[in-house]
Amino acid sequence: MKIVIGNLKMNLNSPKERERYLSLLKKELTGQKLINTELILLPSFIHLEAFRKSLSQKVKIGAQNFFFESKGPFTGEISPLMLSNLGCEYALAGHSERRRYFLEKNEEISLKIIAAMKNGIAPILCVGETKVEKENQETLKVISTQLKECLKGVSRTRLEKIVIAYEPVWAIGADITPSPHEIMEAKVLIRKVLVDIFGKKYAELARIIYGGSVNAKNLEAVCLEPEMDGILIGRESLLPHELIKIAKMVNE
Ligand code: PGA
């Protein structure tokens, strides 16, 4: 089963905008059968309930962020327990925008991953190098450290729940993407690190996807050719027509 994840980020600024988005999306989904593809949308927290109520089982919902504690005096935070009670099945952990603007570190991300799984939420762990790290040829080192530190304490029997998104930071919100060969190399490396940590049998269970400037035009090069298990889409997921076009291509 392939996965197509739409990260709506901090968008849809009013109930009206949300309703317009949902109505366009439902129109695009009418009559579509995405048999081989799981479509997952990550709206802002405040829209989660409306998305769940409005969309059929065809679309799963997930969160862009969460805290690692279940409840208590943590003003302003959202717990994974709250998310699972709302029907969330997935949540991002360690997106580069969280690392950059909210200074999230691998140690905290690993706590989040464990907390998500404890609450039945499949974590989507984002890893990837910055432009400078790429120029310094540190890609392999960066990805490998992120994986080792973020997956610390994760039980290998839970690996089938985990999605690893290779998201080179320089390709996010830009209009450039790595070559299919570079993406394939990253995928091989990610799998190798997983094998080193968890052993071959379990490492095969984790899904590895690509994210960063994905659109219908480059889908072949960033997902189909390097044989990824799916994709994480930012900007294009705000356009229901494009999102469903991509999902259909992945599904074929
Ligand atoms: P983008 O975002 O598709 O707009 O580059 C991707 C992401 O942040 O996951």
Side-chain angles (χ1 to χ4, degrees), residues 8 11-24 26 43-51 54:
L8 300 175
N11 290 296
L12 306 181
N13 279 337
S14 64
K16 197 168 159 204
E17 265 190 55
R18 176 190 70 215
E19 291 314 311
R20 192 183 322 125
Y21 180 86
L22 284 171
S23 115
L24 287 173
K26 282 197 278 192
S44 304
F45 292 126
I46 59 158
H47 295 317
L48 280 169
E49 192 156 18
F51 268 61
S54 171

Side-chain angles (χ1 to χ4, degrees), residues 7 9 95 97 167 171-174 211-214 232-235:
N7 175 10
K9 305 197 181 182
H95 189 280
E97 284 154 14
E167 292 220 307
I172 296 175
S213 292
V214 176
L232 178 49
I233 315 170
R235 283 157 295 163

Side-chain angles (χ1 to χ4, degrees), residues 25-224:
L25 183 67
K26 282 197 278 192
K27 217 187 269 172
E28 293 294 335
L29 281 166
T30 309
Q32 299 296 343
K33 281 207 180 74
L34 299 171
I35 302 165
N36 311 313
T37 309
E38 231 177 310
L39 179 58
I40 303 146
L41 282 179
L42 317 177
S44 304
F45 292 126
I46 59 158
H47 295 317
L48 280 169
E49 192 156 18
F51 268 61
R52 202 213 46 208
K53 283 188 177 150
S54 171
L55 297 169
S56 65
Q57 291 303 319
K58 272 186 199 170
V59 183
K60 297 185 171 166
I61 54 163
Q64 298 170 19
N65 181 40
F66 56 97
F67 190 48
F68 49 77
E69 295 286 355
S70 292
K71 60 185 276 196
F74 304 104
T75 304
E77 290 300 324
I78 306 275
S79 77
L81 180 58
M82 291 172 180
L83 295 175
S84 72
N85 286 338
L86 260 187
C88 279
E89 294 183 49
Y90 287 85
L92 287 177
H95 189 280
S96 65
E97 284 154 14
R98 301 246 16 124
R99 294 178 191 260
R100 177 171 172 201
Y101 299 113
F102 305 97
L103 312 180
E104 277 187 18
K105 297 275 174 281
N106 293 339
E107 198 181 12
E108 184 183 345
I109 296 164
S110 95
L111 294 176
K112 287 187 174 199
I113 289 178
I114 291 168
M117 293 207 290
K118 218 187 260 171
N119 288 283
I121 292 176
I124 306 156
L125 168 63
C126 303
V127 297
E129 79 286 1
T130 62
K131 188 164 179 281
V132 173
E133 288 162 346
K134 180 180 167 60
E135 284 163 2
N136 293 339
Q137 298 180 347
E138 291 174 339
T139 301
L140 303 188
K141 193 180 97 196
V142 168
I143 297 179
S144 150
T145 306
Q146 286 175 336
L147 285 170
K148 283 185 186 140
E149 295 184 1
C150 295
L151 295 175
K152 210 168 167 186
V154 168
S155 156
R156 58 188 187 170
T157 57
R158 308 298 274 283
L159 237 60
E160 63 185 333
K161 274 290 209 176
I162 290 189
V163 178
I164 312 281
Y166 172 52
E167 292 220 307
V169 181
W170 50 271
I172 296 175
D175 276 310
I176 34 168
T177 55
S179 68
H181 179 73
E182 284 173 310
I183 296 176
M184 196 130 43
E185 257 183 7
K187 181 180 133 183
V188 169
L189 170 80
I190 291 169
R191 192 74 74 194
K192 187 184 168 307
V193 178
L194 294 178
V195 170
D196 288 348
I197 310 175
F198 300 103
K200 192 166 175 1
K201 186 173 139 205
Y202 293 99
E204 299 293 335
L205 299 175
R207 288 174 291 180
I208 304 174
I209 65 174
Y210 170 80
S213 292
V214 176
N215 58 41
K217 286 200 195 93
N218 62 28
L219 184 75
E220 177 75 35
V222 300
C223 176
L224 307 181

